[in-house]
Amino acid sequence: MNPFLNRTLVSSAFAFTLGLAQIAFAQQPPPLTSGIDPAAADPAVRIQDDAFRAVNGKWLATTVIPADRKSTGPFERLDDDTQPQLRALIESAAKNAPGSDSANAAEAKKIGDLYASFMDEARIESLGARPIADQLARIDAVKTKAELGALIGVFDRIGVDTPFSANVHQDAKDSTRYVVDLGQGGIGLPDRDYFLAAKDQRFAAIRVKYQSFLAKMLTLAGEKSAAAQAKAVFALETAIARAQWDRVANRDPFKTYNVVAIDDLKTLAPHIDWTRYLDAAEITGKTGSVIVSQPSFIKGLDHAIATTPLSTWKAYFKTRVVTAYAPYLNREFVDTRFVFVGTVLNGTPENQVRWKRGVRLVEGSIGEGLGRLYVAKYFPPESKARMDSLVRGLLAAYQESIAGLDWMSQATKLEAQAKLATFMPKIGYPVRWRDYSALELQRDDLVGNVVRAKNFEYRRNIAKLGKPIDRDEWGITPQTINAYYNPELNEIVFPAAILQPPFFDARAEDAANYGAIGAIIGHEISHGFDDEGSQYDGKGNLRNWWTDQDRRRFGEKTKALIAQYGAYAPVKGYHVNGALTLGENIADNSGLAIAAKAYHLSLRGQPAPVIDGLTGDQRLYMGFVHAWQEKNRDEAVIAQVKSDPHAPGEFRANGTLTNQNGFYDAFGVKPGDRMYLPPEKRVTIW
């Protein structure tokens, strides 16, 4: 439990002030800096007209996106700093076989062995397609469509994208138990629109290139009539895409909660052999029902199985296997996949160097084992304590903000405060590290290692069924530069790696840090009260805790945000999807507002210092804009607006600021300025 929850608002705000003071002035106090980089700014652009370019304009004009990146910005730069640290830890593990029989030493050896298996290029080149021969033979051995269910179950376990997949998580309507969720998948382009938007010329060109890519993959798999098979596979994927729910529909937690008894699955989709699927997926006997996220998709898939020749399905599964495992095969496989996935879809000219890809593999396979090494070297205990203080302060500010809302009734406020009081912050790293003792990794078997690692993670999750909820589990690793909110556990999670520049700069006076890391903390808290998170209560159950009138008022505010962000077009002809990005936009707007409130609480009535000619509020809002500094390739932006619930950085910055009354006051924004919105059009929610 968070000790803040039983304290008063005053003592919590005080703790936050002390925490920031410790961060800013720890050990020997350096000269205060503004935390704002003037070299990134474009002095020719007024912040009142375009804050994103005023703060970042020169950086945008002079920065070249690295050849192995689809975009660049603070997240990518911090990742670039972290990867060599992880590489050194991994290479040390690879060189130093365990000097003892301790569990930690054995785990370090596994990390080293996995990385070494990836870096053994000579062996990988010599093997060609042989490492996936067993999987391809499994497909060739299929004689009837009844066996396709088993293929789906087996391939889902080893990380191959299948038409639907199993996910174990907390039951959204009974937070005391785990459930299996069956969710749609199975297409090789970023979103269904890439298949179905008939009039989009860019997507039409991608569809042609995708069929060529499928043909190349089938050729590498040893198929003789690859071009004809690729055409048939593409038609099948188009049918799968047509049956899929769009991403906005998938954001509705009530619509995607559909309990189906195991015995009733055959009624939903009679052409899928559910007994074979459940056996292969290792679900048989572990649960009496599943959650089917998109029932109409499963029906559409059933129709596709009934009407599509078995030969096409076999070719389809071969493309799925080869695409999934191409990164672990010889250069021809690697390059063929990258040219399409990396360059055609995302505009990235070059693949990452091999050692970086090796680090990614280790992170994805034994990530908490690597995280244990990372935390021991790069995340001292005092950093965790500092982040605890930051989070307590933002929670205190949120508590005050809810109390002062003018659009919400007292009954709903009480429920909101009760939910806020049960938030579970997780800072830095897990209290209990994951046990990898059952994971077998070998120095001379790369594809076998990947198969075993995928199976290990899948089985680890399936094994949760019937057991108590593990509230200490983490969804990302400590070395991940990110953060998240999980509504089912009502938790906010901040890994160790995010608490460093540019998101937190210990040399800077507090204001810019509130605008950066403070707004990120506020953002994650706000997800508990966005359009999706607000449908869960503090225990993680889907429950309407709102009065009808308050929910209507909330809906009116969110409609305005949908319209605002839907008007933004980062690439001509491709608009931000205001409905898809709604949750993130609520969190950005509310998170920054709460960060500003927390900053003012930290001042305890004293004026903020003026540094480099900038007031405290000016530095706070400019720090926020710095955090969303971003430059993207057009292809990547288009994929983002079609498939990602986050808007591009420019609109996360400018869109959010136009709704912040404090921004208008800080910079004297007035009618006629391009960043100006009339007060009645500004959206303030939390």
Side-chain angles (χ1 to χ4, degrees):
M1 294 292 292
N2 182 352
F4 147 74
L5 299 176
N6 295 319
R7 298 177 183 174
T8 65
L9 175 61
V10 174
S11 65
S12 298
F14 181 65
F16 185 37
T17 303
L18 289 179
L20 282 179
Q22 289 171 346
I23 298 173
F25 301 109
Q27 298 175 4
Q28 52 181 19
L32 288 176
T33 68
S34 67
I36 306 301
D37 179 13
D42 183 350
V45 179
R46 299 173 66 245
I47 200 165
Q48 297 89 343
D49 290 328
D50 187 340
F52 184 73
R53 284 171 177 78
V55 174
N56 300 316
K58 189 172 182 181
W59 178 87
L60 288 166
T62 58
T63 294
V64 176
I65 300 174
D68 65 350
R69 292 278 192 183
K70 62 183 180 180
S71 61
T72 190
F75 285 90
E76 292 80 6
R77 292 199 302 273
L78 190 50
D79 184 65
D80 285 340
D81 291 340
T82 303
Q83 291 304 303
Q85 296 172 339
L86 298 176
R87 180 190 187 184
L89 293 169
I90 292 168
E91 290 182 343
S92 176
K95 291 176 183 176
N96 302 314
S100 71
D101 293 329
S102 71
N104 288 358
E107 192 171 90
K109 182 179 184 301
K110 291 180 180 183
I111 290 170
D113 286 349
L114 176 59
Y115 183 74
S117 73
F118 185 85
M119 297 303 292
D120 190 352
E121 292 185 75
R123 178 176 176 78
I124 293 166
E125 288 299 319
S126 71
L127 292 173
R130 276 179 284 167
I132 59 170
D134 288 349
Q135 306 305 338
L136 297 178
R138 184 190 298 272
I139 298 169
D140 285 332
V142 171
K143 302 302 181 186
T144 68
K145 290 182 183 178
E147 297 170 72
L148 295 179
L151 278 188
I152 293 172
V154 168
F155 288 150
D156 187 24
R157 287 194 347 242
I158 64 171
V160 175
D161 182 30
T162 53
F164 62 88
S165 58
N167 175 42
V168 175
H169 62 103
Q170 187 175 323
D171 190 332
K173 290 191 177 181
D174 180 358
S175 60
T176 66
R177 63 188 290 263
Y178 286 110
V179 292
V180 177
D181 188 274
L182 301 183
Q184 69 184 23
I187 58 176
L189 295 177
D191 184 75
R192 66 196 298 269
D193 279 2
Y194 281 70
F195 290 93
L196 306 180
K199 296 182 180 180
D200 189 304
Q201 294 304 307
R202 188 187 292 263
F203 288 170
I206 288 175
R207 289 193 287 269
V208 172
K209 293 178 180 178
Y210 183 50
Q211 291 182 68
S212 296
F213 167 71
L214 291 173
K216 289 179 181 177
M217 283 302 194
L218 286 165
T219 299
L220 290 173
E223 296 299 307
K224 303 301 183 185
S225 55
Q229 288 181 330
K231 184 177 180 180
V233 169
F234 179 79
L236 174 56
E237 286 197 43
T238 302
I240 292 173
R242 191 172 289 115
Q244 284 187 346
W245 291 19
D246 67 34
R247 293 178 185 271
V248 174
N250 283 321
R251 293 193 69 251
D252 188 323
F254 280 98
K255 286 182 179 178
T256 55
Y257 188 91
N258 305 284
V259 181
V260 178
I262 293 293
D263 291 342
D264 292 337
L265 287 170
K266 59 181 178 291
T267 302
L268 180 67
H271 294 95
I272 298 173
D273 190 321
W274 290 102
T275 298
R276 295 192 190 195
Y277 165 73
L278 294 167
D279 286 346
E282 301 181 354
I283 298 172
T284 300
K286 294 182 172 68
T287 181
S289 63
V290 295
I291 308 296
V292 177
S293 295
Q294 303 92 5
S296 64
F297 169 79
I298 297 296
K299 291 180 180 179
L301 176 64
D302 185 72
H303 178 74
I305 290 175
T307 57
T308 303
L310 179 61
S311 59
T312 298
W313 276 106
K314 291 169 75 170
Y316 165 83
F317 279 108
K318 287 189 176 183
T319 65
R320 300 289 85 210
V321 168
V322 177
T323 300
Y325 278 82
Y328 317 113
L329 300 173
N330 67 22
R331 183 177 295 277
E332 189 174 14
F333 283 91
V334 171
D335 291 348
T336 299
R337 183 183 187 278
F338 177 78
V339 165
F340 182 74
V341 176
T343 305
V344 173
L345 293 183
N346 290 298
T348 308
E350 296 178 8
N351 205 350
Q352 289 193 323
V353 295
R354 191 162 192 91
W355 73 261
K356 288 185 178 181
R357 288 179 276 144
V359 169
R360 302 287 185 206
L361 174 61
V362 173
E363 287 199 88
S365 303
I366 188 168
E368 281 198 17
L370 180 57
R372 189 202 300 258
L373 301 177
Y374 175 80
V375 165
K377 185 162 187 179
Y378 295 107
F379 193 67
E382 55 267 26
S383 294
K384 183 176 174 67
R386 292 167 181 173
M387 191 65 171
D388 284 336
S389 294
L390 283 164
V391 172
R392 286 199 300 271
L394 268 294
L395 286 167
Y398 222 111
Q399 186 183 49
E400 184 177 278
S401 182
I402 291 172
L405 291 176
D406 61 2
W407 60 270
M408 180 177 280
S409 69
Q410 188 61 29
T412 305
K413 284 182 182 180
L414 288 173
E415 290 274 8
Q417 295 283 18
K419 178 173 183 175
L420 186 69
T422 61
F423 263 59
M424 180 168 61
K426 294 180 178 178
I427 311 297
Y429 51 89
V431 297
R432 185 181 67 258
W433 295 101
R434 192 162 295 171
D435 179 5
Y436 292 98
S437 59
L439 174 59
E440 180 188 350
L441 297 171
Q442 299 174 8
R443 227 170 167 82
D444 60 353
D445 186 14
L446 173 58
V447 167
N449 287 338
V450 176
V451 169
R452 287 186 290 273
K454 297 291 186 184
N455 252 322
F456 171 83
E457 180 61 16
Y458 179 90
R459 287 167 173 160
R460 187 187 68 82
N461 280 294
I462 289 293
K464 297 174 186 175
L465 293 171
K467 295 179 181 177
I469 299 297
D470 181 2
R471 296 190 173 275
D472 293 327
E473 183 180 16
W474 278 51
I476 55 178
T477 65
Q479 64 272 25
T480 303
I481 297 100
N482 211 330
Y484 71 88
Y485 170 74
N486 179 354
E488 292 173 353
L489 287 171
N490 198 30
E491 64 182 6
I492 45 176
V493 183
F494 304 97
I498 196 133
L499 190 58
Q500 53 184 318
F503 299 108
F504 182 81
D505 185 353
R507 300 165 300 176
E509 193 271 340
D510 289 347
N513 287 318
Y514 275 97
I517 193 66
I520 289 172
I521 296 168
H523 173 106
E524 299 306 335
I525 296 171
S526 297
H527 272 312
F529 303 97
D530 68 17
D531 64 310
E532 188 172 3
S534 65
Q535 298 184 74
Y536 293 80
D537 63 20
K539 293 181 179 179
N541 291 310
L542 278 174
R543 178 174 69 84
N544 182 18
W545 45 268
W546 298 64
T547 67
D548 291 343
Q549 184 179 41
D550 288 342
R551 180 56 78 175
R552 283 195 298 270
R553 289 172 176 169
F554 182 74
E556 290 168 1
K557 289 176 176 289
T558 60
K559 283 180 183 177
L561 273 187
I562 291 172
Q564 177 190 343
Y565 284 82
Y568 299 138
V571 175
K572 186 177 180 180
Y574 297 90
H575 284 251
V576 173
N577 186 331
L580 176 61
T581 59
L582 178 59
E584 299 299 331
N585 298 334
I586 292 172
D588 281 343
N589 280 268
S590 301
L592 179 56
I594 296 303
K597 183 180 288 290
Y599 172 60
H600 291 148
L601 283 172
S602 77
L603 295 173
R604 290 185 288 168
Q606 300 300 309
V610 175
I611 303 175
D612 296 337
L614 299 170
T615 67
D617 280 357
Q618 288 174 336
R619 297 194 303 279
L620 181 142
Y621 293 115
M622 292 173 76
F624 177 78
V625 176
H626 264 316
W628 297 117
Q629 186 183 77
E630 185 177 84
K631 189 170 185 178
N632 303 291
R633 303 185 192 278
D634 283 355
E635 296 88 345
V637 171
I638 292 167
Q640 179 179 358
V641 299
K642 287 295 180 181
S643 63
D644 195 324
H646 302 83
E650 173 183 355
F651 308 113
R652 298 188 74 171
N654 281 357
T656 301
L657 288 179
T658 59
N659 291 313
Q660 307 290 316
N661 291 328
F663 169 71
Y664 290 78
D665 295 337
F667 292 98
V669 182
K670 58 186 184 301
D673 294 334
R674 287 170 52 201
M675 293 284 292
Y676 181 84
L677 273 181
E680 66 275 11
K681 290 188 177 182
R682 298 172 200 166
V683 181
T684 301
I685 300 180
W686 296 100

